Amino acid sequence: MPFKLFEVDKEIPDREKHIYVKDEADPVEHIPKCNSKTIPGCMTERGCAFAGVKGVITGAVKDVVHVVHSPVGCTTYGCGSKRYPTSPDLPNGGKFPVENFNLKYIMGTDLKESDVVFGGMKKLRQSILEAAKEFPYVNAIYTYATCTTGLIGDDMEAVAKELSEETGKDIVTFNAPGFSGPTQSKGHHVGNLTLFNKLVGTKEPPETTPYDINLIGEYNIDGDLWVIKPYFEEMGINILSTFTGDCSHDEICWMHRAKLSLVRCQRSATYIAKLIEEKYGVPYIKVDFFGPKYCAENLRAVGKYFGKEAEAEKVIESRMKKIQAELEFYREKLEGKTVWVFSGGPKNWHIPQPLEEHLGMKTVAVSTMFEHEDGYEKIKERVGEGTVIIDDPNSLELEEIIEDYKPDIILSGIKEKYIAHKMGTPCMLIHSYENGPYMGFEGFINLARDIYASIYSPVWNMLEFDEMGEE
Amino acid sequence: MQDNMIKTENLCILDKKFAVINPCKMCQPMGAVQALLGVKGAMPIIHGSQGCSTYMRFQLCRHFREPINVSSTSMSEGTVVYGGEGNLLKALSTIWKEYNPEIIGVTSSCLTETIGDDMALIIKKFKNSHPDEDLPPIVPINTPSYSGSHVDGYDKAVKSLVENLAHPEGKNKKINIIPGMISSGDVAEIKNMLDELNVGSIFLTDNSESLNAPLNDDVAFLPDEGAEVEEIRDSANSIATISLSKHADSAAMFLQKKYGIKSISGPLPVGIRNTDQFIGYITKITGTKIPKSIEKDRGIMIDAIVDAHPYNYDREVAIYGDPDVVTGMARFICELGMIPSVVCTGTQSSRFVQDMENIAEENDFSPVILAGRDLYDLHQQIKCMDLELLIGNSYGARIAKSEDIPLLRMGFPVYDRLGAQRISILGYKAGIRMVDIITNTILENYYDESGHEFTNFNEISC
């Protein structure tokens, strides 16, 4: 009985296909139904395609200004919401004048009723020109279609083309209105295709080395990238382009010049790695970089590819030495604790094994908002027997998972966090972190520290009224 | 934004005319959802793509740090072409069966307004297809995101609730209170004052407990406190309606027109004068006497202001956010002897401009009034002035940091501090705390550890 209908889903029996309990005896193709339309009214945690492209893919680029072609809401909500820090360093050795520019500014066309009736092209044109005027130092302008502009059919491409010449800046249009696709995943795809088609191959890097790599699907959440970057530097490997954590616009343009691509978030960015391989013959390998074991495996694979095995071993050894004592401390504290991982996608298969192998924790439930079949296959392979795997859980299912599987900790997003807390279950953020970074060897210690601190917070012992005065 | 209203004295050059940079407003459904979260057992649905409800839940969660459920009709390519009727019908059915709400509020979005879905008609169809069932009230709220702002969305939601539910039946001797988008703490302050005055009330709506809930091992998926559907029905039988926020008075106007219930619009009871006015209305309408406890609170607040004055007077302040909070705070800031030199709201409102001009005239100063502008304009303006305090939401924290001016956080959203829903500014009690907080912020930033103002003695000429 691999699929499971939750008690709360009696009225929406279609949910049964989305919830699978791992059983080794089942055929491989038994995975949750996924990447399909949400049941209306189901209280999904999913977002929209615009959020997928701006929030995930392009929001991390440091030197572009974003012009959201929309009524005001999408612009406000799209402002600096994901924790993607950037440094001012540019590949040509220069400095971008505003630190964390990508988190500080967002522009929009602020469409009004008359624009909806008569079209928003004029407003878009004016806004792009103002973007170029107010932020003359940006290296490109990215514009986004949204639900309204997708419907009224504004020819954003034409405006972008015309103004690219006029302003002398790349103007890139992303056509992922909110209603397209079943989840934000559609926006990731559009983002990949757009950046590949319009930018990759259009510029040459200032210099190349035989050890240039693309680090794809790494967005520098709370500094994740900055933890693993030194590993490569110490190995003599040069990150030519990051897609897109702390990256500059130009880096995307010369991704074709790398010798190898590494793909970390394989849900949101395998597309571009494949396209670059097909067109330019740059091979790619899939990496995790969460937890010491995967980190070591990934570094060894890169070392092997470039004939730098010894350098890889040196990095691994130095980092293991650095974290060993702390790792042992946290393992002692966390052994046997249970966890539920609810991520957008990949952290469902990045996290469970490191938690088990290094900390002795048991993953009792995993769930994603927007994984596809290939992701669920990986998840199924990597979680233990009896783990429940849920596609797009709704709010009531969250409660049932907590009650039935009783996780000691939940790793999820902010919308779930306060539901879990009200039920007395600690929950920490795994999409954007509160106290990251969590990637790499050192990042894993941060993750372990936060899990430990959340579970062992003194507050959980005070939920019951303590009648001190009673004799 | 061609027709922005800007008072020109002291104005910097703001030549950005078309684009919005870092908006100082949100879209209509956000306001409507906030009103619905103050109704007991209410489930808000946004008829649009699922990003709308997810983005708003994200904003609301990080502000209130509470579970927030807002449903979506999850519109997609196919349904956009053929209309959203099927999605809305399915969503209503799912919500009704799964969550058993006491009331469902359906807001539209830019998407469904653009394709022209008739929500009232679709809701009627849903009801007709369940003739024998005991359905909860389902209220349509038209909130096209391409007009107005979240402030209008809140106003429309309360109006729709009243239009659809209010039912005349006898008299109830209560006063309807429409809070507007204020914190749970502020709604609680007003409720406490009315208790002290011994006046019965109906709050339209009431987030005082639904968005500031205890942790007790139990999670409420729908607000388990708040205005009850029965109370909203009973609002047609009250003595009067006071809209604390002027920009949220459409429901009050409706009740006045249809049922002859007196409507009073604002001002938001922030500071001494505005609170006096509020208490004055209540005593006039009900004939109740001002109790000693309230007189005492007022006296303590006056005492605090007197104590604070040497530190605060003549210091220039910028205030930004929702129009009623900005004008309320501006008047209060003047009472402290300070000068609200720049005020900014994202909402275009002639009422806001008029109120600010009145406050300016009353206090003899000329502020820069930015109405229908954004935080980028505010920042440009602040750069060419010499301000000592900012008051507003977390979106202004970047301005505060880059200009090295302390920021007093209030309004929505406040996501970089704890306790956003407990920040209270209304009435005398909260006012006393606010005088302390404002003054201590000034002391912290401009005075030394022995309580003396930092002075550059080299600059003093004899």
Side-chain angles (χ1 to χ4, degrees):
Chain A
M1 196 203 66
F3 293 92
K4 179 173 178 176
L5 185 65
F6 274 28
E7 280 294 309
V8 294
D9 289 333
K10 277 192 188 132
E11 298 290 344
I12 38 175
D14 189 51
R15 284 294 304 157
E16 183 172 358
K17 298 183 209 122
H18 296 265
I19 303 172
Y20 168 80
V21 182
K22 180 170 171 179
D23 183 339
E24 297 279 5
D26 286 339
V28 192
E29 62 270 21
H30 277 193
I31 50 166
K33 183 182 171 190
C34 57
N35 196 32
S36 57
K37 280 184 199 162
T38 318
I39 300 167
C42 198
M43 195 63 70
T44 178
E45 308 289 314
R46 289 170 161 178
C48 67
F50 163 66
V53 61
K54 159 67 177 75
V56 174
I57 307 283
T58 57
V61 183
K62 71 175 86 174
D63 58 345
V64 303
V65 66
H66 307 276
V67 179
V68 185
H69 191 28
S70 73
V72 75
C74 308
T75 308
T76 313
Y77 311 134
C79 183
S81 46
K82 198 146 183 177
R83 200 162 176 188
Y84 284 161
T86 53
S87 71
D89 302 330
L90 293 171
N92 62 6
K95 297 269 180 199
F96 194 71
V98 184
E99 201 175 351
N100 288 319
F101 178 81
N102 59 319
L103 301 179
K104 285 178 178 156
Y105 294 100
I106 193 161
M107 295 188 72
T109 51
D110 195 11
L111 293 180
K112 299 288 161 54
E113 198 154 5
S114 59
D115 304 313
V116 174
V117 177
F118 300 110
M121 304 260 286
K122 193 177 157 205
K123 207 83 171 276
L124 177 65
R125 205 178 178 284
Q126 290 157 333
S127 297
I128 291 173
L129 288 173
E130 282 189 346
K133 194 177 73 175
E134 297 292 333
F135 304 106
Y137 44 80
V138 299
N139 291 319
I141 297 167
Y142 291 179
T143 76
Y144 302 85
T146 56
C147 290
T148 307
T149 46
L151 286 170
I152 62 177
D154 279 353
D155 187 355
M156 295 173 64
E157 287 292 342
V159 177
K161 198 169 170 223
E162 179 200 333
L163 295 185
S164 270
E165 286 160 25
E166 194 173 328
T167 59
K169 290 182 194 296
D170 281 340
I171 299 174
V172 186
T173 302
F174 296 88
N175 189 18
F179 56 75
S180 53
T183 71
Q184 52 266 61
S185 178
K186 176 74 180 180
H188 308 154
H189 196 179
V190 171
N192 277 245
L193 292 180
T194 308
L195 292 170
F196 178 77
N197 290 331
K198 294 185 181 164
L199 298 183
V200 176
T202 61
K203 282 184 185 155
E204 293 299 326
E207 56 181 333
T208 56
T209 75
Y211 305 106
D212 288 341
I213 60 165
N214 292 322
L215 189 47
I216 293 178
E218 172 42 45
Y219 304 107
N220 198 31
I221 297 171
D222 208 6
D224 271 350
L225 167 69
W226 295 332
V227 178
I228 62 172
K229 206 174 172 181
Y231 307 163
F232 295 106
E233 287 168 358
E234 287 170 35
M235 284 171 67
I237 304 238
N238 176 43
I239 301 175
L240 184 69
S241 305
T242 313
F243 183 90
T244 52
D246 191 29
C247 91
S248 65
H249 174 74
D250 286 353
E251 281 176 55
I252 299 168
C253 303
W254 59 60
M255 287 175 81
H256 62 296
R257 288 298 176 210
K259 305 296 182 292
L260 176 72
S261 295
L262 309 184
V263 190
R264 208 277 297 159
C265 179
Q266 291 153 38
R267 172 76 282 121
S268 66
T270 307
Y271 312 107
I272 197 163
K274 269 190 182 160
L275 291 165
I276 292 172
E277 182 179 52
E278 283 164 18
K279 187 163 177 186
Y280 299 101
V282 181
Y284 70 90
I285 57 176
K286 297 174 176 180
V287 293
D288 287 80
F289 281 115
F290 278 97
K293 184 185 142 211
Y294 287 146
C295 274
E297 282 175 11
N298 298 153
L299 291 176
R300 286 188 181 118
V302 176
K304 195 174 167 204
Y305 186 87
F306 288 109
K308 288 180 173 283
E309 288 95 337
E311 288 86 343
E313 292 306 327
K314 216 171 143 189
V315 171
I316 296 163
E317 198 192 333
S318 74
R319 295 315 192 279
M320 283 310 290
K321 208 171 148 190
K322 189 172 163 192
I323 65 167
Q324 200 58 50
E326 279 183 279
L327 202 55
E328 276 160 28
F329 169 81
Y330 290 121
R331 184 180 179 106
E332 199 180 298
K333 297 290 179 187
L334 296 174
E335 184 97 51
K337 298 287 181 196
T338 55
V339 60
W340 165 23
V341 182
F342 182 7
S343 70
K347 288 194 188 87
N348 263 250
W349 44 265
H350 282 320
I351 302 262
Q353 287 217 349
L355 293 184
E356 187 171 344
E357 170 147 354
H358 301 292
L359 300 173
M361 296 180 73
K362 184 172 161 35
T363 301
V364 291
V366 290
S367 50
T368 94
M369 280 184 276
F370 51 74
E371 258 306 353
H372 299 198
E373 280 85 355
D374 55 343
Y376 278 109
E377 282 164 13
K378 254 179 291 190
I379 292 165
K380 185 180 168 186
E381 203 183 298
R382 289 180 170 192
V383 298
E385 191 74 350
T387 302
V388 64
I389 307 172
I390 306 144
D391 176 63
D392 182 29
N394 62 49
S395 289
L396 291 174
E397 289 168 8
L398 304 185
E399 188 181 17
E400 192 162 330
I401 297 165
I402 294 173
E403 280 174 353
D404 283 8
Y405 292 87
K406 300 188 171 47
D408 292 310
I409 179 114
I410 301 170
L411 309 180
S412 75
I414 197 163
K415 298 194 298 302
E416 302 82 57
K417 177 173 169 145
Y418 302 108
I419 295 175
H421 283 180
K422 286 285 194 261
M423 296 177 73
T425 305
C427 177
M428 46 184 266
L429 302 185
I430 197 76
H431 306 176
S432 284
Y433 325 134
E434 279 153 331
N435 301 298
Y438 290 157
M439 202 182 275
F441 297 94
E442 299 90 338
F444 191 70
I445 294 298
N446 293 341
L447 178 66
R449 175 204 62 204
D450 286 355
I451 292 175
Y452 163 72
S454 302
I455 293 177
Y456 286 92
S457 162
V459 72
W460 303 119
N461 298 323
M462 297 186 285
L463 300 191
E464 299 297 322
F465 189 76
D466 187 3
E467 294 169 67
M468 294 276 282
E470 207 174 47
E471 288 299 314
Chain B
M1 299 205 302
Q2 291 91 326
D3 49 345
N4 294 316
M5 292 156 285
I6 301 179
K7 188 153 180 176
T8 46
E9 280 168 76
N10 301 333
L11 186 70
C12 286
I13 300 157
L14 300 177
D15 52 359
K16 175 175 70 62
K17 290 188 174 61
F18 302 101
V20 61
I21 307 179
N22 297 354
C24 190
K25 62 178 173 177
M26 301 185 187
C27 63
Q28 287 205 45
M30 174 62 100
V33 164
Q34 290 210 28
L36 292 167
L37 292 175
V39 180
K40 191 180 172 198
M43 174 63 89
I45 306 181
I46 300 175
H47 186 29
S49 67
Q50 60 203 8
C52 307
S53 70
T54 296
Y55 264 138
M56 284 177 215
R57 286 173 76 195
F58 173 81
Q59 289 287 351
L60 292 160
C61 279
R62 67 179 186 160
H63 173 85
F64 289 105
R65 299 177 198 256
E66 292 284 335
I68 305 280
N69 281 310
V70 179
S71 190
S72 170
T73 58
S74 297
M75 295 286 285
S76 58
E77 286 106 334
T79 49
V80 163
V81 176
Y82 299 108
E85 180 176 317
N87 279 47
L88 181 49
L89 290 174
K90 178 70 184 166
L92 288 171
S93 158
T94 309
I95 289 297
W96 170 51
K97 289 177 183 164
E98 281 275 288
Y99 289 87
N100 194 23
E102 288 171 45
I103 177 170
I104 302 175
V106 191
T107 83
S108 57
S109 62
C110 41
L111 189 162
T112 50
E113 290 286 341
T114 305
I115 62 175
D117 273 356
D118 184 343
M119 297 198 305
L121 193 72
I122 299 169
I123 290 168
K124 205 167 162 192
K125 273 192 187 168
F126 180 75
K127 286 182 180 162
N128 290 342
S129 63
H130 297 84
D132 304 319
E133 315 263 15
D134 189 18
L135 293 175
I138 304 170
V139 178
I141 306 158
N142 283 94
T143 47
S145 323
Y146 46 71
S147 70
S149 72
H150 60 293
V151 175
D152 304 272
Y154 181 99
D155 185 49
K156 284 185 185 172
V158 178
K159 188 179 179 210
S160 293
L161 288 170
V162 168
E163 268 178 344
N164 282 275
L165 298 173
H167 181 70
E169 201 180 331
K171 292 283 167 221
N172 66 21
K173 295 187 179 163
K174 291 177 180 172
I175 294 183
N176 299 327
I177 302 283
I178 303 175
M181 291 192 20
I182 59 175
S183 72
S184 309
D186 272 334
V187 175
E189 291 290 341
I190 297 295
K191 283 173 101 169
N192 290 340
M193 278 205 292
L194 292 173
D195 280 349
E196 284 180 79
L197 286 157
N198 204 17
V199 170
S201 59
I202 293 172
F203 276 71
L204 305 167
T205 64
D206 175 5
N207 67 12
S208 62
E209 291 178 71
S210 59
L211 295 173
N212 186 27
L215 191 155
N216 54 11
D217 271 352
D218 193 18
V219 60
F221 284 102
L222 304 173
D224 59 353
E225 300 287 346
E228 294 184 24
V229 170
E230 276 314 310
E231 288 184 281
I232 303 173
R233 286 213 168 93
D234 196 24
S235 67
N237 309 306
S238 301
I239 322 165
T241 307
I242 300 180
S243 309
L244 301 181
S245 303
K246 286 185 183 180
H247 292 78
D249 67 355
S250 293
M253 298 310 233
F254 169 82
L255 287 170
Q256 176 164 282
K257 202 168 165 197
K258 185 145 183 189
Y259 304 112
I261 298 170
K262 187 179 169 59
S263 164
I264 296 162
S265 299
L268 196 65
V270 187
I272 295 286
R273 289 289 171 212
N274 284 5
T275 306
D276 286 356
Q277 208 169 328
F278 173 73
I279 302 278
Y281 291 145
I282 301 282
T283 53
K284 210 179 222 170
I285 296 162
T286 61
T288 187
K289 289 243 156 34
I290 299 174
K292 281 267 181 304
S293 61
I294 286 185
E295 270 178 22
K296 199 168 169 183
D297 286 338
R298 188 182 188 281
I300 295 173
M301 187 168 168
I302 294 283
D303 189 63
I305 293 174
V306 171
D307 295 346
H309 192 260
Y311 311 110
N312 292 335
Y313 77 90
D314 275 357
R315 293 193 190 270
E316 294 191 46
V317 181
I319 310 169
Y320 58 93
D322 292 350
D324 291 291
V325 175
V326 173
T327 49
M329 278 307 292
R331 200 166 185 211
F332 177 35
I333 282 296
C334 290
E335 290 170 352
L336 296 177
M338 303 166 101
I339 306 160
S341 304
V342 186
V343 289
C344 176
T345 187
T347 304
Q348 285 195 11
S349 161
S350 49
R351 258 176 157 178
F352 170 80
V353 176
Q354 187 58 55
D355 281 352
M356 267 322 300
E357 282 173 351
N358 291 345
I359 293 167
E361 198 183 316
E362 184 184 294
N363 293 282
D364 193 24
F365 71 107
S366 53
V368 174
I369 302 171
L370 303 173
R373 303 295 296 206
D374 56 38
L375 294 172
Y376 185 79
D377 296 329
L378 175 69
H379 193 178
Q380 302 306 100
Q381 180 63 44
I382 287 172
K383 274 182 185 171
C384 47
M385 298 181 72
D386 197 13
L387 301 178
E388 293 183 288
L389 182 66
L390 300 185
I391 297 176
N393 58 45
S394 294
Y395 282 125
R398 295 173 194 130
I399 303 175
K401 201 174 172 193
S402 86
E403 302 311 312
D404 196 21
I405 304 170
L407 169 64
L408 183 62
R409 287 165 179 81
M410 62 178 61
F412 177 84
V414 175
Y415 48 78
D416 61 340
R417 289 292 184 273
L418 196 71
Q421 73 271 56
R422 294 182 284 272
I423 298 173
S424 42
I425 56 174
L426 301 194
Y428 305 124
K429 272 201 174 76
I432 296 164
R433 290 195 300 273
M434 260 306 135
V435 176
D436 292 348
I437 291 168
I438 290 170
T439 312
N440 288 337
T441 305
I442 295 295
L443 284 166
E444 173 74 28
N445 286 277
Y446 305 109
Y447 285 76
D448 66 18
E449 62 279 9
S450 45
H452 299 117
E453 191 172 17
F454 299 133
T455 310
N456 185 347
F457 291 103
N458 296 331
E459 282 181 7
I460 297 173
S461 52
C462 297

